[in-house]
Amino acid sequence: MSNEWQPRIVAFFCNWCTYTAADLAGVSRLKYASNTRVIRLMCSGRVDPQFILDALAKGADAVLIGGCHPFDCHYAEGNYKCLRRFQLLKRMLMDMGIEAGRLRLEWISAAEGEKVKRVINELTETVRQLGPLGIPQQFAEWDKEMEQFAAHVEAGEALKTPCAEHAPTQEPAHV
Amino acid sequence: MTTKYSYFPGCSLKGIGRAYEESLLPVLRALDVELEELEDWNCCGATAYMAIDEVKACVLASRNLAMAEKLGHKELVAPCSACYLVLNKTKHYLQDSPAVRGVIEKALAEVNMTYSGNTPVRHPLDVMIHSIGLDAIKQRVKRPLTGLKVAPYYGCQIVRPYSTFDDQYNPTTMDRLLEAIGCTIVHFPLKTRCCGASLTGTLPEPGLLCARDILAEAITRGADLIATVCPLCQFNLDGYHDKIAKKWGPHRIPTVYFTQLMGLAFGLGERELGLHRGFVPMQPLPAPVPVGVGV
Amino acid sequence: MDKPSKQTVRIGFYICHCGSNIAAMVDCPAVARFVGTLPHVVLSRDYKYMCSDPGQELIQKDISEHQLNRVVVASCSPLLHEHTFRGAVEAGGLNPFFFHMVNIREHDSWVHTDPAEATAKAKELAHAAIMRVAMHKALEVKKVPVHPDVLVVGGGIAGIHAALTLANAGKKVFLVEREPSIGGHMAQFDKTFPTLDCAACILTPKMSAVGTHPNITLLSYSEVTKLDGYVGNYTATVKRKPRYISEDKCTGCQECIANCVYKEPKFPDEFNEGLGKRKPVYIPFPQATPQVVVIDPQTCLNFRNGELTGKCKKSCVAACGDKEAIDFSQTETFQELKVGTVIVTTGFQAFDAKRMPQYGYGKFPNVYTALEIERLVNTSGPTAGHVVLRDGKTEPRSIGIIHCVGSRDKKTNRWCSRVCCMFSLKLAHLLKEHTGAEVYNFYIDMRAPGKGYEEFYDKLLEEGVHFIRGRVGEVTDWARTPDEEGKLVIRVEDTLAGYVRRIPFDMVVLATGLEPHADAQDVRRMLNMSCGSEGFFLERHPKLAPVSTFTEGIFLAGCCQGPRDIPDTVAQAGAAAAEALALIDKGFIEQEPNTAFILEDECCGCKSCIPLCPYTAITFDAANKKAVINEALCKGCGTCVAACPSGTIVQNLFDDEEIFSEIEGVLAHE
Amino acid sequence: MSKPKVAFYWCASCGGCEETVVDLAEDILGVVEKVDIVLWPVAMDFKYKDIEAMPDKSITATFLNGAIRSTEQEEMARMLRRKSVFLIAYGACAHTGGIPALANQFPREQILKFNYEDAPTLVPGEKTRPQLSCTEDGRTVTLPQLHNVVRALDQVVDVDYYVPGCPPTPKITRAAVDALLSGNLPPKGTVIGPDHALCEECERKDTKPDKWDFVEFKRPHQKLMDEKCFLAQGVVCMGPATRAGCEAACTSGGMPCTGCFGGTSRVRDQGAKILSSICSNLAAKEEDEIDKTLAGIPDPVGTFYRYGLAKSILRRKLNLPSNP
Amino acid sequence: MKIERTIKYEADRVKGFGDEVSSVPGCEKLQACIQCGTCSGVCPLSIYMDYSPRQVMAMVRSDFKNEVLTSHTVWLCASCYQCTVDCPREIRITDIMYELKQRALQEGIYPKKFSIPVLAKEFYKMVYRYGRVSENLLAMTMFLKSSPLEALKMWRLGLGLILRGRFPLTLEKIKRRDELGRMMKVVDQVKINKLHDELKQARQHVAARSQA
């Protein structure tokens, strides 16, 4: 395995269609990129937007949701509920600075092993183009601005003046 | 109101296929359609060119497409089947192959041209049936060609490989058009069979055999003449009768453009329609039947 | 059993080599070593075949020896073996739901090519499972009784056989057939390959057995329009089309037919593929079951455009007399059936040969489909078995049979229809026998892989039937040589001899392929099944569950699942019946406890969830002003769980915290 | 036994929380009787150095309101953490970031530029920016610096309890104080208040239909029916996703809930949950129609995370340009 | 009687030829050929071919490059697209024939004194030079270069055309001839191999999309 950065994709597949399609891709020995980790849910309707945000925040570079085709949902309309949430969530993620390409919803029926392969490969390629999302790294980066204080507190030193000591090192002035 | 289309005549319509242009333009004018010829068009890149370099053929075609788009009429009319196919094929490549598209875009940029891929390329037959409509055509008929038995010959490249405006196995647009101007259509199983034109010049025997089969079948089916939609087909079916006769006996039957027949039905003169340019002359039509005089 | 606290979680991890299926791509010992270092993991092993008896025993032994209270197995798809391992865990004394399975075969070793990447992926998936299983709770499997009656949809040979098998085992069966008679395509066939026994002779006894069996309720001329409920407890709605004859009163005497105002049959006869004629009142074929006539409102003079006019003098009614079986006032009715299981045997439709215009069907009268020839060679067919061209008199002297019409062709149907080679051979034999004509078969590949099939092909070769390997380019009436005049000319490359040939024929037969019914998608949706990309119904597993579907309690047999011949169809119908029997005789279904429930105290009664449930399992308790889930109706999709704005709905097996743990696990590594 | 020492402090907030303490009205006297207030900038004069001089853990409880926005606030939070036995995040800003955390959608530089250079209320062309330090007459005055990220209190220091709300109601404040005084303390990390959503106590609850089927979204000013559930009228109301305890102050006052109490303990991201719930209940099925309906929520972040952006899963807009 | 060996040894193959051809856009499906012979069956010219189109497909796939490029079949293809339309595997046989023609010309392997390649080359040159084709001039050039005797036999046809005004004696030219030259140069600059790589990627992309 090469040491260069590899995209990490978390996929939520519904049990009846897409997960089965992924099994079919396996049985058919189709080959696709190894960057996707599948989490099985009973229905794409179970995909809670929190899961998507959480996956991204924990280091996923993209999230893929796979559900049954319209009219084909094993639970009648779970896939529509997923689609509706997806549409707004995608817009919201863009507002939060996350590219639309990092969230993908696909309808993949149990027979479409080929589509699993294609979608995973395409998404992997898209993410490769976009580069790392790196939210955990960003969190760490943001928190650096607090490190200095924490160090002082650790050392048990009280600060003489609120910010004179650190201000020049971080930023000369609000100019 | 006059409708305008861009017009790509192609090399043949300026040479051996002059009669096609000579009949097409007045017929369309009679139907309130004006064709505006592309300024400085170049060879479409047809069959023989494709054999050398398919990408270059597409680049050639794209220059014409780019000029058509710039001309601003919504659609481009290409009467020659070979041009029609190459222009359409180029459009398909532009859509399906980003690589070919890339090359074409670079080449066009070199001469400050662009092509967005929007201008549809249409055959006159398609325009007449689907844009002008049979009713409008019927209204223009002054002298129905009643009793004239026609073998409709479509040839290959307007129905294959793309099925754009007619059935690939049994096209009927020309049948309907000619029926509308009074002709009788004979059952013609070789409607879309290759005429061999691209070979006649170089490998006479196979090319001529293709032509002979079509002529023979038209005669067998009792046709007075063959109607065609392509200058190469017309030349191949019309120009080699002596050679065919030498090999397989006489097969004399005239081959004319469908536009020439329409012109006749619209009351235009034979010479005006370039009918004198054929090798096998068309038999004089029966005396005109006056229309709308209450006979 | 209560959930042990985090400190006492003791996980056993097992990774399966699956022979070389997994081990060739995933470094199983390395994964096991890695997992061994994770918190709460007490032991971590790799093993050749976890699903084998020794593999399962290993788990059981470890549970007691190492006081495991959680088990994770990394092997194949949970859809395949989750059940097996839950059983092993239970046998080891644990609640079966303290188990989680990691799919490193279908989702990993089989689809990746780099061992390092595949191993890394296996580690992450295993890590996720370890984190997830720590959150698992003990759950109870719910047992639901199975209604013992069975619904069979489709009355062809598959449906007939399945119905009889079940009825003979003492189960009540409802057999629903949309045509006026059962029998399906097989009833139309003349002989069957390779034994050449008469199709009617083997089928009609079974048909009448269905008609008279006390355990079978035959609903012919009817369609299932709706299926509600779940395994063990389905409610089917059946539409009964009006046949304008009371089934109870009709004795099958057919006096009405004889006395119809139409003295001669005039309308194309469906059963004979339009080669014969029938009257507006008719019986589809002599052995039809039920032996009840049917009136076609499209052609009966008492109707106009299907609407009753009463304008006929109704000589049929008079002929029926006291029996009073004819009832023009009949309308569509609906009937509800309660059943526990469903067997789907809806069959196929023949490819429409007009979709291949180059073969001239519909244009040249003497181009026939294979089904037409079946009727033409049949002694009870429209010509009494006399093979003549459509002019009604000329016997063909030369016949060309074109294989693979609408099969193996990306422009029509990609698949091989499996039976065409064999029925073409059979028809070649029958046509030669009936007419003595020269018979040519044009084939791409000769496929004769059944018992006695190759021998049948041998026999045909010896009989002097001609075989040309080449797919026919076109059938034309264009004659190039004098002996082609007036004939249908087939142009083909004889690929074995290496020549392009033109061969003239009097008759051309198109071996049309098999395809799904035009309305197969509607049926599929109604029954909540899946379809393969080609449109045939999808079995749960091609090898391990070939007659099951993804919906519990619904089974498949026959050509609705894919083209197959009669022996295979009957075998499959028997298998489907056996699967249904197994469920019925067990008497109950164990329901996956993945249902959702609402935390009663915490629910604020916002009603967000109520409209989301497609099974109306969620209701509003007006007294408490809180939503309540009826666990019996909940099917466990989890849609309401994802939508509950205050996180108050919990789904067993797919709890928020379980999934969050899994997410954390798959992303735990850089 | 001496009276427990209590401190109130005020970080990035509007001051409303301090008002609430005063709003305890007569109760405040009862409180004051039982405790020693050692720090309360809004009402009394104390110096930093006094607090600094206090031994660690000498304050029984500090009620800190406001988000942590600047270096000074961070320092005070850390100091008060050290000096206090219990640190209580008081009010929405300290609890989940509050309104100030909406700044997490923008880079600091953009905010400063707008406020000091581009805002239409400024003297044109002046573009005066405050200096971090300034020396005049030989004396240096320093100003705290803005952080890039606005944080809830527990993202900076360990927090013992949370009192939610913008502002917390007197009742809930009183409950917190009583708990402290009685020593009958809930587990650490508890949010003081009920753990169910607001609908439970909303007067409009009974008018909620069984089916929503949103076809369009309305704004609160669009002639709405009094007494009827806001969601039933197509107005985004965060009630179902918001912790109860405010006694439905907004909805009984004619405004939909905007979520200041945060989500319940079972929810990790309040905004994601209300989004999920509302979207699931749209009527539309086709992508276009769905988008058309959802266009009625033009600013999902501002709508769903009005008080909770700092504590949402994503916390802040990503990939913002860092400051020079 | 001249007898030649017909057995093929591995050394007779030009390994990789089949893969190369099938990586060109339009030729991708070659590998899917099931040798059913539909192409030969529908081809109007197959009666004159030394190898049937089906055989050409098999030969290309098996890397018999020299045999294919010297066969008449490639040049007898009249581009009527019947095989392409009828092929049950959706192989674009006509386009494969074009590709083979191009390769034959590039490598100079084609039947000697065979006038079709000459025509193709002259056609190409004429377009390059003038932007348009004057058919009669083209025919004359071609006959002169391949078989001058044939040209003499054609005099009657030529005369007939002149008499009917179908033989323009002026040369058709476009005005901005430099434009074509510049455009062609751009095409030449795109390295053919690089192009093929790109085309291959594009092909995969298109294939993936068409499956959707």
Side-chain angles (χ1 to χ4, degrees), chain B residues 169 187 190 209 213 217 221, chain C residues 357-358 476-480:
Chain B
Y169 291 95
H187 167 66
L190 303 187
L209 182 69
D213 283 346
E217 186 65 9
R221 299 284 168 179
Chain C
Q358 61 267 52
T476 177
D477 61 347
W478 166 51
R480 181 182 235 145

Side-chain angles (χ1 to χ4, degrees), chain A residues 48 50 77 91 138 171, chain D residues 108 268 285 294 319:
Chain A
D48 187 325
Q50 291 187 109
E77 293 198 340
R91 176 144 65 85
Q138 295 212 19
E171 193 173 346
Chain D
R108 177 175 60 188
R268 294 194 180 192
K285 281 190 175 174
L294 290 175
N319 302 312

Side-chain angles (χ1 to χ4, degrees), chain C residues 384-428:
Chain C
H386 194 54
V387 177
V388 286
L389 296 179
R390 262 193 240 258
D391 63 7
K393 48 184 195 284
T394 320
E395 267 206 8
R397 303 308 313 148
S398 56
I399 301 168
I401 303 178
I402 303 177
H403 291 219
C404 299
V405 177
S407 304
R408 303 186 68 191
D409 183 347
K410 289 189 174 173
K411 294 190 164 66
T412 53
N413 297 327
R414 284 181 56 186
W415 57 88
C416 165
S417 292
R418 278 186 65 180
V419 292
C420 322
C421 278
M422 288 312 295
F423 75 60
S424 296
L425 293 182
K426 172 190 76 182
L427 292 178

Side-chain angles (χ1 to χ4, degrees), chain D residues 86-90 95 154 158-164 172 176 179 184-195 243 261 263-265:
Chain D
F86 297 112
L87 178 65
I88 294 142
Y90 186 70
H95 176 206
D154 67 358
D158 196 32
V159 169
D160 296 292
Y161 300 108
Y162 303 85
V163 179
I172 208 161
N184 186 13
L185 292 164
K188 190 182 165 191
T190 299
V191 178
I192 309 296
D195 199 8
R243 190 184 283 267
F261 268 54
T264 66
S265 65

Side-chain angles (χ1 to χ4, degrees), chain B residues 11 13 16 19 21 24 41 74 77 99 112 134 157 171 173 180-181 184 201 254 256 262 264 275 278-279 295:
Chain B
C11 304
L13 268 77
I16 54 169
E21 183 173 76
L24 174 68
W41 55 269
K74 251 174 60 194
V77 171
N112 298 321
L134 285 177
Q157 300 192 337
T173 39
I181 61 169
T184 306
V256 301
M262 289 177 73
L264 288 175
L275 276 164
F279 282 85
V295 181

Side-chain angles (χ1 to χ4, degrees), chain C residues 461-518:
Chain C
L461 285 164
E462 283 162 19
E463 278 177 9
V465 172
H466 306 280
F467 288 91
I468 292 182
R469 189 198 171 279
R471 185 170 170 277
V472 170
E474 62 171 343
V475 176
T476 177
D477 61 347
W478 166 51
R480 181 182 235 145
T481 61
D483 58 343
E484 291 175 357
E485 272 160 29
K487 304 257 185 181
L488 295 167
V489 180
I490 280 183
R491 197 164 192 274
V492 64
E493 180 181 18
D494 184 336
T495 61
L496 299 180
Y499 297 115
V500 175
R501 295 174 62 179
R502 289 175 61 95
I503 310 171
F505 290 103
D506 296 327
M507 174 188 255
V508 170
V509 181
L510 306 182
T512 42
L514 278 53
E515 58 184 22
H517 277 295

Side-chain angles (χ1 to χ4, degrees), chain B residues 27-43:
Chain B
V27 163
L28 283 179
R29 214 168 291 133
L31 293 164
D32 285 334
V33 171
E34 201 64 53
L35 296 185
E36 185 176 350
E37 187 169 329
L38 295 182
E39 181 264 338
D40 207 36
W41 55 269
N42 56 266
C43 166

